[in-house]
Amino acid sequence: MLTVKHLAKSYDGEKKSLTDVSFSVQPGEVTVIIGPSGAGKTTILRSINQLIRDDDGEILFDNTDIRQLNRAQLRQARCRIGMIFQNYNLIEPLTAIENVLHGCLGTKSNLAGIFSIYRNREKEEALKLLEKVGLAEFAYQQCRNLSGGQKQRVGIARALMQQPKIILCDEPIASLDPKSTITVMDILRDLATNDGISVLINLHQVDIARSYADHVIGINNGQVVFDDRIQALSDTAIASIYQKDANSEGSVVHEF
Amino acid sequence: MIKPENQISIPTRQPAGPRLSIPLRFRDRRRVTILMTLIVLAYITLATLPTMIPSHFKLGTALTSFAENIKIMFWQPHLANTTFITLLGALGQSILLAFLTTLIGSVLAFFFALASTRRLAPTYLVLGIQSLMAVIRAIPTVLWVLIYSVVFGLGANAAVVGITFHSVAYLTKVYADSMDELSPGIIETMQAMGLKKSAIIRQAIIPYMMPSYLSWTFIRFEINFADAIAVGAAAGAGGIGYQLFMSSSFYFNFHEVGVMVYMILAFALVLEIISYRLRTATN
Ligand SMILES: Nc1ncnc2c1ncn2[C@@H]1O[C@H](COP(=O)(O)OP(=O)(O)OP(=O)(O)O)[C@@H](O)[C@H]1O
Ligand SMILES: [Mg+2]
């Protein structure tokens, strides 16, 4: 499904943020990336849909290297890659259903985008997805009036509207209370199990990873230091993932 | 979590002598420069003021005749050389001039703003367009109308083009500023979903900038109304400004000027009410 090989990235040309990162993600599985702050988790995730241009390596998505695509091809590939953010990034003045419908605009014409023209089938789909994330009665609410947990669920519905093969989540629960955290993680788990979508999540909470992940990738100082099933994630493995590296300033051991 | 370097620390550079109080900021050169400039300007003003007043000037006479004219304007307004209907038509002309220039200006400025916001445009376009607009803005509207009257002749055409010109420069700046305020993450999110640029503009940028678009456009309408009056007098563009010019400088009839001032004030009041409504509706 998604295979990353020898990925390398440096923002300033000197300090390497990623050195030779390789891993792969299976359909129907929740894969969690953990690692100390500044390790390179966000950099990996944003390289996958090329929001940042990496320096070297291969990112095979459906057997094509996403790094080699031209602008139009990249836009098409992005239509099938969902993304979920810590701060939701919804269009707050618009309603929940309008935000969800944005998910299908990538494959539609300029005119449809400019005049918000959607087929009835698409509107029904959007309502169905809002129902799926438990927000049916909020469809016509402005997103700025929703709570954090509700916003994140609108974000998920928007990603699902893309009919994605993979969903990338950059710390999706970092701003949420414990109850919303469970709701959001349950939905993401369900998408992998029942819809066969690959879910790739950056997390800081090891306990959440334990209860939801199939596979764990540990990153430290821009390198993969752990890549195994969740069952293999022992306390010593966690300690080595989070160990302070002399070279990586600002890395922090998270306590739970 | 606060890193040690982010914690508030007391400045290590202390003023000399015994420490009586902790200063809130260091003496910086900018504040000294500003103070010096103000002192110099104040001196120049005081020194040149006497030379500006003509020798035959008598303050007492001037004040009483000023009060007399004010009284004529505001307590005894009535018409002599024109009819109320004519003036109403002239006021309508000025309003339409302001409306037309604001409308054309805001549409053009919207596209210029898209081409010069840091959120969408490359740096060379941002710098290029914004500096060009700054130059256009630096020259007053009335001057632009006079410049265009070289091409079109004095009259309404030059007024429309000149006022529009300055409106575009003004609105491009404020629209682009409000687009710049949008968080880059929002646009990135839309790009990550594979949206085309047109869809991003329509679905993300416009919803966020709509309130400021409306209020800035309205402010510009008020400015254009004032400019339309001034231009009516200065460039013969017609409207209430031209009538004002005729009554005050041609007929010397301050009773009539009073009527027109009241009409303009009434319209300004209407604008104020609309803008208040607009503000409360969009917030
Ligand atoms: N835009 C940028 N410009 C320069 N350096 C950057 C940029 N973004 C990230 N970096 C650097 O790259 C490294 C990896 O950052 P990244 O954001 O991927 O870490 P992370 O694992 O997501 O951390 P966190 O858990 O705090 O989100 C860090 O050292 C960071 O300083
Ligand atoms: Mg991060």
Coordinates of all heavy atoms in Angstrom, one line a residue, chain A residues 148-201:
Chain A
G148 N -13.9 21.1 20.3 CA -12.7 20.5 19.7 C -12.9 19.1 19.2 O -12.6 18.7 18.1
G149 N -13.5 18.2 20.0 CA -13.7 16.9 19.7 C -14.7 16.8 18.4 O -14.5 15.9 17.5
Q150 N -15.7 17.6 18.4 CA -16.6 17.6 17.3 C -15.9 18.1 16.0 O -16.1 17.5 14.9 CB -17.8 18.5 17.6 CG -18.7 18.0 18.7 CD -19.7 19.0 19.2 OE1 -19.5 20.2 19.1 NE2 -20.8 18.5 19.8
K151 N -15.0 19.1 16.1 CA -14.3 19.6 15.0 C -13.4 18.5 14.4 O -13.3 18.3 13.2 CB -13.4 20.8 15.4 CG -14.1 22.1 15.5 CD -13.2 23.2 15.9 CE -13.9 24.4 16.3 NZ -13.1 25.5 16.8
Q152 N -12.7 17.7 15.3 CA -11.9 16.7 14.8 C -12.7 15.6 14.1 O -12.2 15.1 13.1 CB -11.1 16.1 16.0 CG -9.9 15.2 15.5 CD -8.9 15.9 14.6 OE1 -9.3 16.3 13.5 NE2 -7.8 16.2 15.1
R153 N -13.9 15.4 14.6 CA -14.7 14.4 13.9 C -15.2 14.9 12.5 O -15.3 14.1 11.6 CB -15.9 14.0 14.8 CG -15.5 13.0 15.9 CD -16.7 12.5 16.7 NE -17.0 13.5 17.7 CZ -18.2 13.5 18.3 NH1 -19.2 12.7 18.0 NH2 -18.4 14.4 19.3
V154 N -15.5 16.2 12.4 CA -15.8 16.8 11.1 C -14.5 16.6 10.2 O -14.7 16.2 9.0 CB -16.1 18.3 11.2 CG1 -16.3 18.9 9.8 CG2 -17.4 18.4 12.0
G155 N -13.4 16.8 10.8 CA -12.1 16.6 10.0 C -12.0 15.2 9.5 O -11.6 14.9 8.3
I156 N -12.4 14.2 10.3 CA -12.3 12.8 9.9 C -13.3 12.6 8.7 O -13.0 11.9 7.7 CB -12.6 11.8 11.1 CG1 -11.4 12.0 12.1 CG2 -12.7 10.4 10.6 CD1 -11.7 11.2 13.3
A157 N -14.6 13.1 8.9 CA -15.6 12.9 7.9 C -15.1 13.5 6.6 O -15.3 13.0 5.5 CB -16.9 13.6 8.3
R158 N -14.5 14.7 6.7 CA -13.9 15.3 5.5 C -12.9 14.5 4.8 O -12.9 14.3 3.6 CB -13.3 16.7 5.8 CG -12.7 17.4 4.7 CD -12.3 18.8 5.1 NE -11.2 18.8 6.1 CZ -10.6 19.9 6.5 NH1 -11.0 21.1 6.1 NH2 -9.6 19.8 7.4
A159 N -12.0 13.9 5.6 CA -11.0 13.0 5.0 C -11.7 11.8 4.4 O -11.2 11.3 3.3 CB -10.0 12.5 6.1
L160 N -12.7 11.2 5.0 CA -13.4 10.1 4.4 C -14.1 10.4 3.1 O -14.2 9.5 2.3 CB -14.4 9.5 5.5 CG -13.8 8.8 6.7 CD1 -14.9 8.4 7.6 CD2 -12.9 7.7 6.2
M161 N -14.6 11.6 3.0 CA -15.2 12.1 1.8 C -14.3 11.9 0.6 O -14.7 11.8 -0.5 CB -15.7 13.5 2.0 CG -16.7 14.0 1.0 SD -18.3 13.3 1.2 CE -19.0 13.5 -0.4
Q162 N -13.0 12.0 0.9 CA -12.0 11.8 -0.2 C -12.0 10.3 -0.7 O -11.2 10.1 -1.6 CB -10.6 12.2 0.3 CG -10.4 13.7 0.6 CD -9.1 14.0 1.2 OE1 -9.0 14.2 2.4 NE2 -8.0 13.9 0.4
Q163 N -12.7 9.4 -0.1 CA -12.6 8.0 -0.3 C -11.1 7.6 -0.3 O -10.6 7.1 -1.3 CB -13.2 7.6 -1.7 CG -14.7 8.0 -1.7 CD -15.3 7.8 -3.1 OE1 -14.7 7.8 -4.1 NE2 -16.6 7.5 -3.0
P164 N -10.5 7.8 0.8 CA -9.0 7.7 0.9 C -8.6 6.2 1.0 O -9.3 5.4 1.4 CB -8.6 8.4 2.2 CG -9.8 8.2 3.0 CD -11.0 8.2 2.1
K165 N -7.4 6.0 0.5 CA -6.8 4.7 0.7 C -6.0 4.7 2.0 O -5.8 3.7 2.6 CB -5.9 4.3 -0.5 CG -6.7 4.2 -1.8 CD -5.8 3.7 -2.9 CE -6.7 3.5 -4.1 NZ -6.0 3.9 -5.4
I166 N -5.5 5.9 2.3 CA -4.7 6.0 3.5 C -5.1 7.3 4.2 O -5.5 8.3 3.5 CB -3.2 6.0 3.2 CG1 -2.4 6.0 4.5 CG2 -2.8 7.2 2.3 CD1 -0.9 5.8 4.2
I167 N -5.1 7.3 5.5 CA -5.3 8.6 6.3 C -4.1 8.9 7.1 O -3.7 8.0 7.9 CB -6.6 8.5 7.1 CG1 -7.8 8.3 6.3 CG2 -6.8 9.7 8.0 CD1 -9.1 8.4 7.0
L168 N -3.6 10.1 7.0 CA -2.4 10.5 7.8 C -2.9 11.4 8.9 O -3.7 12.3 8.7 CB -1.4 11.3 6.9 CG -1.1 10.7 5.6 CD1 -0.3 11.7 4.7 CD2 -0.3 9.4 5.7
C169 N -2.5 11.0 10.1 CA -3.0 11.8 11.3 C -1.8 12.4 12.1 O -1.1 11.6 12.6 CB -3.9 11.0 12.2 SG -5.1 10.0 11.4
D170 N -1.7 13.7 12.1 CA -0.6 14.3 12.9 C -1.1 14.7 14.2 O -1.7 15.8 14.4 CB 0.0 15.5 12.1 CG 1.4 15.9 12.6 OD1 1.9 15.2 13.6 OD2 2.0 16.8 12.1
E171 N -0.8 13.9 15.2 CA -1.2 14.2 16.6 C -2.7 14.6 16.6 O -3.1 15.7 17.1 CB -0.4 15.3 17.2 CG 1.1 14.8 17.3 CD 2.0 15.8 18.0 OE1 1.5 16.5 18.9 OE2 3.2 15.8 17.7
P172 N -3.6 13.7 16.2 CA -5.0 14.0 16.1 C -5.7 14.3 17.4 O -6.7 14.9 17.5 CB -5.6 12.8 15.4 CG -4.7 11.7 15.8 CD -3.3 12.3 15.9
I173 N -5.1 13.8 18.5 CA -5.8 13.9 19.8 C -5.1 14.8 20.8 O -5.4 14.8 21.9 CB -6.0 12.5 20.4 CG1 -4.6 11.8 20.5 CG2 -7.0 11.6 19.6 CD1 -4.7 10.5 21.2
A174 N -4.0 15.5 20.3 CA -3.2 16.2 21.2 C -4.0 17.4 21.9 O -3.6 17.8 23.0 CB -2.0 16.8 20.5
S175 N -5.0 17.9 21.3 CA -5.8 19.0 21.9 C -7.1 18.5 22.4 O -8.0 19.3 22.7 CB -6.0 20.1 20.9 OG -4.9 20.3 20.1
L176 N -7.3 17.2 22.6 CA -8.6 16.7 23.0 C -8.7 16.2 24.4 O -7.7 15.8 25.0 CB -9.1 15.6 22.1 CG -9.2 16.0 20.6 CD1 -9.7 14.8 19.8 CD2 -10.0 17.2 20.4
D177 N -9.9 16.3 25.0 CA -10.0 15.7 26.4 C -10.1 14.2 26.3 O -10.3 13.7 25.2 CB -11.3 16.3 27.0 CG -12.5 15.9 26.2 OD1 -12.8 16.4 25.1 OD2 -13.2 15.0 26.7
P178 N -10.0 13.5 27.4 CA -9.9 12.0 27.4 C -11.1 11.4 26.7 O -10.9 10.4 25.9 CB -9.9 11.7 28.9 CG -9.3 12.8 29.6 CD -9.8 14.0 28.8
K179 N -12.3 11.9 26.9 CA -13.5 11.3 26.3 C -13.5 11.4 24.8 O -13.7 10.5 24.1 CB -14.8 11.9 26.9 CG -16.0 11.2 26.7 CD -17.1 11.5 27.7 CE -18.4 11.0 27.3 NZ -19.0 11.8 26.2
S180 N -13.2 12.7 24.3 CA -13.1 12.9 22.9 C -12.0 12.0 22.3 O -12.1 11.5 21.1 CB -12.9 14.3 22.5 OG -13.9 15.1 23.2
T181 N -10.9 11.9 23.0 CA -9.8 11.1 22.5 C -10.3 9.7 22.2 O -10.0 9.2 21.1 CB -8.7 11.0 23.6 OG1 -8.2 12.3 23.8 CG2 -7.6 10.1 23.2
I182 N -11.0 9.1 23.2 CA -11.5 7.7 22.9 C -12.4 7.7 21.7 O -12.3 6.8 20.9 CB -12.3 7.2 24.2 CG1 -11.4 7.3 25.4 CG2 -12.8 5.8 24.0 CD1 -10.3 6.3 25.4
T183 N -13.3 8.7 21.6 CA -14.3 8.7 20.5 C -13.5 8.7 19.2 O -13.7 7.9 18.3 CB -15.2 9.9 20.5 OG1 -15.6 10.1 21.9 CG2 -16.4 9.8 19.6
V184 N -12.5 9.7 19.1 CA -11.8 9.8 17.8 C -11.0 8.6 17.5 O -10.9 8.1 16.4 CB -10.9 11.1 17.9 CG1 -9.8 11.1 16.8 CG2 -11.7 12.3 17.8
M185 N -10.3 8.0 18.5 CA -9.4 6.8 18.3 C -10.3 5.6 17.9 O -9.9 4.8 17.0 CB -8.6 6.5 19.5 CG -7.4 7.5 19.8 SD -6.3 7.8 18.4 CE -5.7 6.2 18.1
D186 N -11.5 5.5 18.5 CA -12.4 4.4 18.2 C -12.8 4.5 16.7 O -12.8 3.5 16.0 CB -13.7 4.5 19.0 CG -13.4 3.9 20.4 OD1 -12.4 3.2 20.6 OD2 -14.3 4.1 21.3
I187 N -13.1 5.7 16.2 CA -13.5 5.9 14.8 C -12.3 5.5 13.9 O -12.5 4.8 12.9 CB -13.9 7.4 14.6 CG1 -15.2 7.7 15.3 CG2 -14.1 7.6 13.1 CD1 -15.5 9.2 15.3
L188 N -11.1 6.0 14.2 CA -9.9 5.7 13.4 C -9.7 4.2 13.3 O -9.4 3.6 12.3 CB -8.7 6.4 13.9 CG -8.7 8.0 13.7 CD1 -7.5 8.6 14.4 CD2 -8.8 8.3 12.2
R189 N -9.8 3.5 14.5 CA -9.6 2.1 14.6 C -10.6 1.4 13.7 O -10.3 0.5 12.9 CB -9.8 1.7 16.0 CG -9.7 0.2 16.4 CD -8.3 -0.3 16.1 NE -8.2 -1.1 14.9 CZ -7.1 -1.7 14.5 NH1 -6.0 -1.6 15.2 NH2 -7.1 -2.4 13.4
D190 N -11.9 1.8 13.8 CA -13.0 1.2 13.0 C -12.7 1.4 11.5 O -13.0 0.5 10.7 CB -14.3 1.9 13.4 CG -15.4 1.5 12.5 OD1 -15.8 0.3 12.7 OD2 -15.9 2.2 11.7
L191 N -12.1 2.5 11.1 CA -11.9 2.8 9.6 C -10.9 1.7 9.1 O -11.0 1.2 8.0 CB -11.3 4.2 9.4 CG -12.2 5.3 9.8 CD1 -11.5 6.6 9.5 CD2 -13.5 5.2 8.9
A192 N -9.9 1.4 9.9 CA -8.9 0.4 9.5 C -9.5 -1.0 9.4 O -9.5 -1.6 8.4 CB -7.7 0.5 10.4
T193 N -10.2 -1.3 10.6 CA -10.7 -2.7 10.7 C -11.8 -3.0 9.6 O -11.8 -4.0 8.9 CB -11.2 -2.9 12.1 OG1 -10.3 -2.5 13.0 CG2 -11.5 -4.4 12.3
N194 N -12.8 -2.0 9.6 CA -14.0 -2.3 8.8 C -14.0 -1.8 7.4 O -14.6 -2.3 6.5 CB -15.2 -1.8 9.5 CG -15.4 -2.6 10.8 OD1 -15.1 -3.8 10.9 ND2 -15.9 -1.9 11.9
D195 N -13.2 -0.7 7.1 CA -13.2 -0.2 5.8 C -11.9 -0.5 5.0 O -11.7 -0.1 3.9 CB -13.4 1.4 5.8 CG -14.7 1.7 6.4 OD1 -15.6 0.8 6.5 OD2 -14.9 2.9 6.9
G196 N -10.9 -1.1 5.7 CA -9.7 -1.5 5.1 C -8.8 -0.4 4.7 O -7.9 -0.5 3.9
I197 N -9.0 0.8 5.4 CA -8.1 2.0 5.1 C -6.8 1.8 5.9 O -6.9 1.4 7.1 CB -8.9 3.3 5.5 CG1 -10.1 3.4 4.6 CG2 -8.0 4.5 5.3 CD1 -11.0 4.5 5.0
S198 N -5.7 2.3 5.3 CA -4.5 2.3 6.1 C -4.5 3.6 7.0 O -4.8 4.7 6.5 CB -3.3 2.4 5.3 OG -3.3 1.4 4.3
V199 N -4.3 3.5 8.3 CA -4.3 4.6 9.1 C -2.9 4.8 9.7 O -2.4 3.9 10.4 CB -5.4 4.5 10.2 CG1 -5.4 5.7 11.1 CG2 -6.7 4.3 9.6
L200 N -2.3 6.0 9.5 CA -0.9 6.2 10.0 C -1.0 7.4 10.9 O -1.4 8.5 10.5 CB 0.0 6.5 8.8 CG 1.5 6.8 9.1 CD1 2.1 5.6 9.8 CD2 2.2 7.1 7.8
I201 N -0.7 7.2 12.2 CA -0.9 8.2 13.2 C 0.4 8.6 13.9 O 1.1 7.7 14.4 CB -1.9 7.7 14.3 CG1 -3.1 7.1 13.6 CG2 -2.3 8.9 15.2 CD1 -4.1 6.5 14.6

